[in-house]
Amino acid sequence: MTSSTKVEEYITDSLLRQDRMPHIWCPGCGIGPAVGCFIRAIESSGLDQDKIALISGIGCTGRVAGYVKLDSFHTTHGRALPFAMGLGLGNPELNVVVFSGDGDLIAIGGNHLIHTARRNVDMTVICLNNFNYGMTGGQMGPTTPLNARSNTSPYGNIEYPFNVPYLVAASGATYVARWTMLHARQLEWSIAEALTKPGFSFIEVLGPCPTLYGRMNKMARGMDSLNYYKENSVVRNGADPKDVDLTSDGPIVVGKFVDIERPTFWEQCQLVIDRAQAKKD
Amino acid sequence: MKLWRTPFDQAEKATRPAKVLIDKDRCKGCSYCVEFCPRGALVLSDELNPKGYTLAAVADESKCLGCGLCDILCPEFAIHLVLNFTES
């Protein structure tokens, strides 16, 4: 028997803006479970919710900022990372989280991504990769796998995509992981770990886009994409990010690839302040 | 199943049958919960919600183990698992 009773104290509902539900994402979209994992990760890591700021860019995933009951900001296209960096430096007590899509973080914001990772700014970046530009109609982007079809590559994509964990790890990120939306428990633990780790933490979440990318690639139902993830994903913690690129027929390597320690940008700022003051005295 | 000794983690790994509540306004009928329920406790019903999506429904409450997989995979935040449910 289906019941429509609402439970206000429920974990995910306690951090969602109830008045904005149901959300606009398509049936079977991968963003919803990723947001659920993020909310449960906040609960399980025991962080103060008033000290978490969530920044989003533009796109389907960019809507997350409007749906969570946290301090959040919806920035212009691709500029979520510079905004988050300024916010984190202005108030170092804040735990800054960037939740955005591949089109926002890797395509238009690609330059910001590599430079924020290079400086090792203290933030957590959750990048939901659905392999295309979902909100604008399913155009191909820099993460569309080779030979995959999209609305602007109907005969197959001829461009080589980015290997995102490799790009971010090479730029200097201290925590790099990749999970699919189906690895919900691992994703939750991974987000909780990244939230409490200082430095630039990057988690790539693969999520289905049944309406646009899936429809063009014979995965028109969300279930087809999830079955594809289930059959092809291989957990390989500590794998070299060089070997984890996504192809349209190869395995999907998931896991935690990089977990190292490096001085953060804020610590380096303190160093230069100390140096300048020592010279003045 | 017959066990030759009591597992050490039996208490924490014990199943906790729960009441599954599905929000009719939020469900969009993507069928993730139905396909991934390990015990087949959920089905897609013929009932439509005000937006015209087919709804997921609980077929057999006694089969639920309370694992919560339907809840964490639901893209619409529509499924709530309630332990110790009391009708109000």
Side-chain angles (χ1 to χ4, degrees):
Chain A
M1 180 64 202
T2 312
S3 168
S4 61
T5 314
K6 284 179 181 155
V7 186
E8 298 298 333
E9 307 85 47
Y10 210 68
I11 296 174
T12 41
D13 277 6
S14 65
L15 275 179
L16 285 173
R17 290 179 205 267
Q18 298 296 317
D19 51 327
R20 306 207 60 188
M21 294 285 137
H23 53 61
I24 61 147
W25 297 318
C26 308
C29 180
I31 304 172
V35 176
C37 288
F38 170 64
I39 291 173
R40 277 189 301 275
I42 292 177
E43 295 278 341
S44 63
S45 61
L47 293 167
D48 184 3
Q49 291 167 11
D50 294 337
K51 298 274 184 218
I52 296 177
L54 189 132
I55 318 297
S56 282
I58 297 295
C60 291
T61 324
R63 313 267 319 182
V64 174
Y67 288 134
V68 291
K69 216 186 273 173
L70 292 167
D71 290 340
S72 58
F73 194 78
H74 195 182
T75 64
T76 44
H77 201 359
R79 314 297 173 234
L81 287 167
F83 182 89
M85 181 177 163
L87 189 68
L89 292 180
N91 187 355
E93 284 186 5
L94 280 182
N95 203 332
V96 182
V97 184
V98 175
F99 203 122
S100 212
D102 58 318
D104 186 75
L105 283 173
I106 297 156
I108 190 169
N111 208 0
H112 298 304
L113 180 74
I114 58 172
H115 288 288
T116 325
R118 174 177 66 84
R119 291 178 182 131
N120 196 20
V121 184
D122 188 7
M123 63 168 79
T124 304
V125 181
I126 302 165
C127 173
L128 199 127
N129 185 356
N130 56 10
F131 309 111
N132 66 2
Y133 291 104
M135 187 166 269
T136 50
Q139 291 87 355
M140 56 171 266
T143 47
T144 312
L146 193 69
N147 298 327
R149 296 193 299 164
S150 71
N151 274 340
T152 46
S153 58
Y155 301 104
N157 180 21
I158 51 164
E159 299 175 12
Y160 286 90
F162 267 132
N163 177 354
V164 183
Y166 189 33
L167 172 78
V168 181
S171 305
T174 52
Y175 184 97
V176 181
R178 176 201 273 155
W179 298 104
T180 73
M181 178 220 112
L182 200 55
H183 296 84
R185 298 275 186 218
Q186 290 99 321
L187 177 61
E188 184 189 323
W189 300 329
S190 194
I191 294 176
E193 202 177 358
L195 280 173
T196 46
K197 188 177 165 69
F200 190 86
S201 313
F202 186 91
I203 299 169
E204 184 188 12
V205 186
L206 306 182
C209 178
T211 315
L212 294 160
Y213 181 79
R215 185 168 53 89
M216 296 294 287
N217 291 284
K218 295 179 183 159
M219 293 186 277
R221 287 164 65 245
M223 268 313 294
D224 301 333
S225 293
L226 290 200
N227 284 334
Y228 178 74
Y229 294 158
K230 198 171 150 188
E231 284 156 19
N232 292 284
S233 56
V234 190
V235 181
R236 229 176 264 163
N237 286 315
D240 191 343
K242 193 170 70 196
D243 309 324
V244 301
D245 52 337
L246 294 170
T247 50
S248 43
D249 50 355
I252 303 171
V253 183
V254 297
K256 181 171 83 174
F257 304 134
V258 177
D259 191 357
I260 53 168
E261 302 284 336
R262 260 178 74 210
T264 63
F265 189 56
W266 177 249
E267 288 163 14
Q268 298 291 93
C269 286
Q270 296 305 309
L271 270 184
V272 81
I273 290 170
D274 290 347
R275 253 180 240 163
Q277 278 177 346
K279 207 160 193 177
K280 206 170 77 182
D281 298 336
Chain B
M1 190 169 67
K2 194 167 175 288
L3 299 168
W4 60 273
R5 66 162 173 82
T6 314
F8 296 125
D9 55 355
Q10 195 174 39
E12 59 183 277
K13 296 280 195 271
T15 55
R16 301 166 301 162
K19 173 97 178 165
V20 180
L21 303 176
I22 301 174
D23 193 327
K24 282 183 187 176
D25 294 336
R26 292 185 186 177
C27 180
K28 288 178 186 163
C30 66
S31 83
Y32 286 179
C33 52
V34 178
E35 303 276 345
F36 280 99
C37 178
R39 294 290 293 270
L42 298 158
V43 284
L44 269 187
S45 67
D46 297 329
E47 195 184 353
L48 299 179
N49 74 355
K51 289 192 170 178
Y53 292 114
T54 49
L55 289 170
V58 182
D60 188 352
E61 243 170 47
S62 61
K63 282 185 183 171
C64 178
L65 296 172
C67 68
L69 195 62
C70 51
D71 170 28
I72 65 172
L73 281 181
C74 179
E76 318 295 332
F77 314 105
I79 300 184
H80 292 160
L81 253 72
V82 186
L83 304 165
N84 312 320
F85 180 79
T86 47
E87 206 72 52
S88 56

PDB file of all heavy atoms in Angstrom, chain A residues 138-161:
ATOM      1  N   GLY A 138      21.829  18.172 -24.304  1.00  0.00           N
ATOM      2  CA  GLY A 138      22.604  16.961 -24.590  1.00  0.00           C
ATOM      3  C   GLY A 138      23.697  17.126 -25.611  1.00  0.00           C
ATOM      4  O   GLY A 138      23.960  16.223 -26.403  1.00  0.00           O
ATOM      5  N   GLN A 139      24.366  18.277 -25.618  1.00  0.00           N
ATOM      6  CA  GLN A 139      25.504  18.441 -26.532  1.00  0.00           C
ATOM      7  C   GLN A 139      26.713  17.685 -25.987  1.00  0.00           C
ATOM      8  O   GLN A 139      26.809  17.433 -24.798  1.00  0.00           O
ATOM      9  CB  GLN A 139      25.863  19.930 -26.676  1.00  0.00           C
ATOM     10  CG  GLN A 139      24.834  20.744 -27.410  1.00  0.00           C
ATOM     11  CD  GLN A 139      23.737  21.269 -26.515  1.00  0.00           C
ATOM     12  OE1 GLN A 139      23.667  20.960 -25.345  1.00  0.00           O
ATOM     13  NE2 GLN A 139      22.859  22.060 -27.097  1.00  0.00           N
ATOM     14  N   MET A 140      27.654  17.361 -26.882  1.00  0.00           N
ATOM     15  CA  MET A 140      28.869  16.680 -26.427  1.00  0.00           C
ATOM     16  C   MET A 140      29.763  17.667 -25.680  1.00  0.00           C
ATOM     17  O   MET A 140      29.741  18.865 -25.942  1.00  0.00           O
ATOM     18  CB  MET A 140      29.645  16.077 -27.589  1.00  0.00           C
ATOM     19  CG  MET A 140      30.022  17.070 -28.664  1.00  0.00           C
ATOM     20  SD  MET A 140      31.135  16.387 -29.861  1.00  0.00           S
ATOM     21  CE  MET A 140      32.693  16.900 -29.194  1.00  0.00           C
ATOM     22  N   GLY A 141      30.540  17.142 -24.748  1.00  0.00           N
ATOM     23  CA  GLY A 141      31.434  17.994 -23.968  1.00  0.00           C
ATOM     24  C   GLY A 141      32.796  17.356 -23.847  1.00  0.00           C
ATOM     25  O   GLY A 141      33.071  16.342 -24.494  1.00  0.00           O
ATOM     26  N   PRO A 142      33.668  17.907 -23.021  1.00  0.00           N
ATOM     27  CA  PRO A 142      35.018  17.353 -22.897  1.00  0.00           C
ATOM     28  C   PRO A 142      35.080  16.035 -22.128  1.00  0.00           C
ATOM     29  O   PRO A 142      36.150  15.477 -21.981  1.00  0.00           O
ATOM     30  CB  PRO A 142      35.781  18.445 -22.148  1.00  0.00           C
ATOM     31  CG  PRO A 142      34.756  19.206 -21.433  1.00  0.00           C
ATOM     32  CD  PRO A 142      33.498  19.126 -22.224  1.00  0.00           C
ATOM     33  N   THR A 143      33.950  15.545 -21.599  1.00  0.00           N
ATOM     34  CA  THR A 143      33.975  14.258 -20.905  1.00  0.00           C
ATOM     35  C   THR A 143      33.224  13.176 -21.674  1.00  0.00           C
ATOM     36  O   THR A 143      33.165  12.041 -21.216  1.00  0.00           O
ATOM     37  CB  THR A 143      33.336  14.397 -19.506  1.00  0.00           C
ATOM     38  OG1 THR A 143      32.114  15.104 -19.642  1.00  0.00           O
ATOM     39  CG2 THR A 143      34.235  15.128 -18.551  1.00  0.00           C
ATOM     40  N   THR A 144      32.629  13.529 -22.823  1.00  0.00           N
ATOM     41  CA  THR A 144      31.925  12.527 -23.618  1.00  0.00           C
ATOM     42  C   THR A 144      32.925  11.487 -24.120  1.00  0.00           C
ATOM     43  O   THR A 144      33.905  11.849 -24.756  1.00  0.00           O
ATOM     44  CB  THR A 144      31.233  13.195 -24.822  1.00  0.00           C
ATOM     45  OG1 THR A 144      30.513  14.330 -24.358  1.00  0.00           O
ATOM     46  CG2 THR A 144      30.276  12.250 -25.511  1.00  0.00           C
ATOM     47  N   PRO A 145      32.719  10.193 -23.823  1.00  0.00           N
ATOM     48  CA  PRO A 145      33.709   9.189 -24.253  1.00  0.00           C
ATOM     49  C   PRO A 145      33.840   9.117 -25.775  1.00  0.00           C
ATOM     50  O   PRO A 145      32.923   9.500 -26.509  1.00  0.00           O
ATOM     51  CB  PRO A 145      33.142   7.879 -23.698  1.00  0.00           C
ATOM     52  CG  PRO A 145      32.189   8.267 -22.646  1.00  0.00           C
ATOM     53  CD  PRO A 145      31.649   9.595 -23.038  1.00  0.00           C
ATOM     54  N   LEU A 146      34.985   8.633 -26.212  1.00  0.00           N
ATOM     55  CA  LEU A 146      35.247   8.487 -27.645  1.00  0.00           C
ATOM     56  C   LEU A 146      34.205   7.542 -28.253  1.00  0.00           C
ATOM     57  O   LEU A 146      33.883   6.512 -27.656  1.00  0.00           O
ATOM     58  CB  LEU A 146      36.662   7.926 -27.834  1.00  0.00           C
ATOM     59  CG  LEU A 146      37.254   7.983 -29.233  1.00  0.00           C
ATOM     60  CD1 LEU A 146      37.545   9.418 -29.624  1.00  0.00           C
ATOM     61  CD2 LEU A 146      38.529   7.161 -29.300  1.00  0.00           C
ATOM     62  N   ASN A 147      33.683   7.913 -29.405  1.00  0.00           N
ATOM     63  CA  ASN A 147      32.693   7.131 -30.164  1.00  0.00           C
ATOM     64  C   ASN A 147      31.293   7.134 -29.541  1.00  0.00           C
ATOM     65  O   ASN A 147      30.387   6.529 -30.101  1.00  0.00           O
ATOM     66  CB  ASN A 147      33.135   5.675 -30.377  1.00  0.00           C
ATOM     67  CG  ASN A 147      34.404   5.582 -31.189  1.00  0.00           C
ATOM     68  OD1 ASN A 147      34.617   6.422 -32.070  1.00  0.00           O
ATOM     69  ND2 ASN A 147      35.246   4.617 -30.900  1.00  0.00           N
ATOM     70  N   ALA A 148      31.116   7.780 -28.391  1.00  0.00           N
ATOM     71  CA  ALA A 148      29.764   7.872 -27.837  1.00  0.00           C
ATOM     72  C   ALA A 148      28.982   8.904 -28.638  1.00  0.00           C
ATOM     73  O   ALA A 148      29.556   9.844 -29.182  1.00  0.00           O
ATOM     74  CB  ALA A 148      29.835   8.277 -26.371  1.00  0.00           C
ATOM     75  N   ARG A 149      27.676   8.696 -28.720  1.00  0.00           N
ATOM     76  CA  ARG A 149      26.870   9.617 -29.511  1.00  0.00           C
ATOM     77  C   ARG A 149      26.205  10.644 -28.606  1.00  0.00           C
ATOM     78  O   ARG A 149      25.924  10.384 -27.447  1.00  0.00           O
ATOM     79  CB  ARG A 149      25.829   8.855 -30.300  1.00  0.00           C
ATOM     80  CG  ARG A 149      26.499   7.921 -31.310  1.00  0.00           C
ATOM     81  CD  ARG A 149      25.532   7.404 -32.307  1.00  0.00           C
ATOM     82  NE  ARG A 149      24.470   6.637 -31.674  1.00  0.00           N
ATOM     83  CZ  ARG A 149      23.332   6.337 -32.282  1.00  0.00           C
ATOM     84  NH1 ARG A 149      23.118   6.759 -33.512  1.00  0.00           N
ATOM     85  NH2 ARG A 149      22.420   5.630 -31.676  1.00  0.00           N
ATOM     86  N   SER A 150      25.987  11.824 -29.141  1.00  0.00           N
ATOM     87  CA  SER A 150      25.249  12.857 -28.411  1.00  0.00           C
ATOM     88  C   SER A 150      24.530  13.691 -29.461  1.00  0.00           C
ATOM     89  O   SER A 150      24.658  13.431 -30.662  1.00  0.00           O
ATOM     90  CB  SER A 150      26.202  13.713 -27.577  1.00  0.00           C
ATOM     91  OG  SER A 150      26.977  14.520 -28.427  1.00  0.00           O
ATOM     92  N   ASN A 151      23.786  14.700 -29.038  1.00  0.00           N
ATOM     93  CA  ASN A 151      23.012  15.475 -29.994  1.00  0.00           C
ATOM     94  C   ASN A 151      23.878  16.232 -30.989  1.00  0.00           C
ATOM     95  O   ASN A 151      23.456  16.500 -32.103  1.00  0.00           O
ATOM     96  CB  ASN A 151      22.099  16.453 -29.249  1.00  0.00           C
ATOM     97  CG  ASN A 151      20.796  15.793 -28.879  1.00  0.00           C
ATOM     98  OD1 ASN A 151      20.428  14.784 -29.461  1.00  0.00           O
ATOM     99  ND2 ASN A 151      20.111  16.349 -27.906  1.00  0.00           N
ATOM    100  N   THR A 152      25.094  16.585 -30.599  1.00  0.00           N
ATOM    101  CA  THR A 152      25.976  17.283 -31.536  1.00  0.00           C
ATOM    102  C   THR A 152      27.078  16.372 -32.079  1.00  0.00           C
ATOM    103  O   THR A 152      27.967  16.843 -32.770  1.00  0.00           O
ATOM    104  CB  THR A 152      26.617  18.517 -30.867  1.00  0.00           C
ATOM    105  OG1 THR A 152      27.086  18.144 -29.580  1.00  0.00           O
ATOM    106  CG2 THR A 152      25.625  19.649 -30.743  1.00  0.00           C
ATOM    107  N   SER A 153      27.027  15.093 -31.735  1.00  0.00           N
ATOM    108  CA  SER A 153      27.949  14.135 -32.378  1.00  0.00           C
ATOM    109  C   SER A 153      27.145  12.886 -32.736  1.00  0.00           C
ATOM    110  O   SER A 153      27.365  11.818 -32.176  1.00  0.00           O
ATOM    111  CB  SER A 153      29.122  13.797 -31.456  1.00  0.00           C
ATOM    112  OG  SER A 153      28.666  13.263 -30.238  1.00  0.00           O
ATOM    113  N   PRO A 154      26.174  13.012 -33.661  1.00  0.00           N
ATOM    114  CA  PRO A 154      25.276  11.889 -33.941  1.00  0.00           C
ATOM    115  C   PRO A 154      25.970  10.698 -34.598  1.00  0.00           C
ATOM    116  O   PRO A 154      25.436   9.597 -34.587  1.00  0.00           O
ATOM    117  CB  PRO A 154      24.225  12.487 -34.870  1.00  0.00           C
ATOM    118  CG  PRO A 154      24.841  13.699 -35.443  1.00  0.00           C
ATOM    119  CD  PRO A 154      25.821  14.211 -34.443  1.00  0.00           C
ATOM    120  N   TYR A 155      27.176  10.904 -35.192  1.00  0.00           N
ATOM    121  CA  TYR A 155      27.899   9.785 -35.801  1.00  0.00           C
ATOM    122  C   TYR A 155      29.014   9.272 -34.891  1.00  0.00           C
ATOM    123  O   TYR A 155      29.919   8.584 -35.336  1.00  0.00           O
ATOM    124  CB  TYR A 155      28.481  10.214 -37.157  1.00  0.00           C
ATOM    125  CG  TYR A 155      27.405  10.676 -38.117  1.00  0.00           C
ATOM    126  CD1 TYR A 155      27.223  12.030 -38.382  1.00  0.00           C
ATOM    127  CD2 TYR A 155      26.534   9.761 -38.718  1.00  0.00           C
ATOM    128  CE1 TYR A 155      26.210  12.458 -39.216  1.00  0.00           C
ATOM    129  CE2 TYR A 155      25.521  10.186 -39.551  1.00  0.00           C
ATOM    130  CZ  TYR A 155      25.364  11.525 -39.804  1.00  0.00           C
ATOM    131  OH  TYR A 155      24.367  11.950 -40.621  1.00  0.00           O
ATOM    132  N   GLY A 156      28.984   9.655 -33.644  1.00  0.00           N
ATOM    133  CA  GLY A 156      30.031   9.230 -32.710  1.00  0.00           C
ATOM    134  C   GLY A 156      31.007  10.359 -32.440  1.00  0.00           C
ATOM    135  O   GLY A 156      31.358  11.117 -33.347  1.00  0.00           O
ATOM    136  N   ASN A 157      31.433  10.449 -31.195  1.00  0.00           N
ATOM    137  CA  ASN A 157      32.343  11.526 -30.805  1.00  0.00           C
ATOM    138  C   ASN A 157      33.751  11.203 -31.293  1.00  0.00           C
ATOM    139  O   ASN A 157      34.269  10.116 -31.053  1.00  0.00           O
ATOM    140  CB  ASN A 157      32.307  11.652 -29.277  1.00  0.00           C
ATOM    141  CG  ASN A 157      33.206  12.735 -28.755  1.00  0.00           C
ATOM    142  OD1 ASN A 157      33.576  13.645 -29.485  1.00  0.00           O
ATOM    143  ND2 ASN A 157      33.563  12.639 -27.494  1.00  0.00           N
ATOM    144  N   ILE A 158      34.371  12.175 -32.003  1.00  0.00           N
ATOM    145  CA  ILE A 158      35.715  11.909 -32.536  1.00  0.00           C
ATOM    146  C   ILE A 158      36.800  12.483 -31.632  1.00  0.00           C
ATOM    147  O   ILE A 158      37.976  12.303 -31.887  1.00  0.00           O
ATOM    148  CB  ILE A 158      35.865  12.496 -33.957  1.00  0.00           C
ATOM    149  CG1 ILE A 158      35.438  13.962 -33.967  1.00  0.00           C
ATOM    150  CG2 ILE A 158      35.082  11.685 -34.967  1.00  0.00           C
ATOM    151  CD1 ILE A 158      35.887  14.719 -35.184  1.00  0.00           C
ATOM    152  N   GLU A 159      36.388  13.200 -30.566  1.00  0.00           N
ATOM    153  CA  GLU A 159      37.388  13.829 -29.691  1.00  0.00           C
ATOM    154  C   GLU A 159      37.720  12.918 -28.517  1.00  0.00           C
ATOM    155  O   GLU A 159      36.837  12.246 -27.992  1.00  0.00           O
ATOM    156  CB  GLU A 159      36.842  15.153 -29.147  1.00  0.00           C
ATOM    157  CG  GLU A 159      36.516  16.153 -30.229  1.00  0.00           C
ATOM    158  CD  GLU A 159      35.873  17.402 -29.658  1.00  0.00           C
ATOM    159  OE1 GLU A 159      35.895  17.582 -28.431  1.00  0.00           O
ATOM    160  OE2 GLU A 159      35.348  18.188 -30.448  1.00  0.00           O
ATOM    161  N   TYR A 160      38.978  12.949 -28.091  1.00  0.00           N
ATOM    162  CA  TYR A 160      39.355  12.185 -26.910  1.00  0.00           C
ATOM    163  C   TYR A 160      38.902  12.934 -25.661  1.00  0.00           C
ATOM    164  O   TYR A 160      39.113  14.139 -25.564  1.00  0.00           O
ATOM    165  CB  TYR A 160      40.872  11.980 -26.858  1.00  0.00           C
ATOM    166  CG  TYR A 160      41.344  10.954 -27.857  1.00  0.00           C
ATOM    167  CD1 TYR A 160      41.714  11.316 -29.142  1.00  0.00           C
ATOM    168  CD2 TYR A 160      41.382   9.612 -27.504  1.00  0.00           C
ATOM    169  CE1 TYR A 160      42.116  10.364 -30.063  1.00  0.00           C
ATOM    170  CE2 TYR A 160      41.789   8.667 -28.418  1.00  0.00           C
ATOM    171  CZ  TYR A 160      42.150   9.042 -29.691  1.00  0.00           C
ATOM    172  OH  TYR A 160      42.550   8.105 -30.598  1.00  0.00           O
ATOM    173  N   PRO A 161      38.273  12.238 -24.708  1.00  0.00           N
ATOM    174  CA  PRO A 161      37.809  12.956 -23.508  1.00  0.00           C
ATOM    175  C   PRO A 161      38.927  13.133 -22.486  1.00  0.00           C
ATOM    176  O   PRO A 161      39.988  12.518 -22.584  1.00  0.00           O
ATOM    177  CB  PRO A 161      36.733  12.020 -22.969  1.00  0.00           C
ATOM    178  CG  PRO A 161      37.183  10.664 -23.373  1.00  0.00           C
ATOM    179  CD  PRO A 161      37.917  10.823 -24.681  1.00  0.00           C
TER     180      PRO A 161
END
